Amino acid sequence: MRGEELVLAGIALIFLGFILVFIGTLLSAFSNEADVESGGVIMIGPIPIVFGTGRGVTLAMVLAVILMVLWIVGALLARRG
């Protein structure tokens, strides 16, 4: 019973994320601000792919490298044990 509740909670959080992204897109589309920045990080295994414009991309790149290092350390520690 506990596992089913966690699955439903996960699905609900995914839908909530989609709704928040949709609302954010609508709000930014109807605002009068002309400054637009975009970017993202795609993690394929331990390899980060960073793209975009603006200062947020630098932060995303640093976080991606940190995640990559943590993934490699975790894989090495799991292999030992």
Side-chain angles (χ1 to χ4, degrees), residues 40-59:
V41 177
I42 299 173
M43 296 290 291
I44 300 177
I47 302 168
I49 300 172
V50 182
F51 60 91
T53 61
R55 291 180 174 231
V57 175
T58 306
L59 177 63

Side-chain angles (χ1 to χ4, degrees), residues 24-75:
T25 303
L26 286 178
L27 290 175
S28 67
F30 292 119
S31 70
N32 292 331
E33 297 179 16
D35 187 25
V36 177
E37 294 182 3
S38 64
V41 177
I42 299 173
M43 296 290 291
I44 300 177
I47 302 168
I49 300 172
V50 182
F51 60 91
T53 61
R55 291 180 174 231
V57 175
T58 306
L59 177 63
M61 196 175 347
V62 170
L63 290 175
V65 169
I66 291 171
L67 284 174
M68 180 183 66
V69 169
L70 288 175
W71 187 86
I72 291 172
V73 169

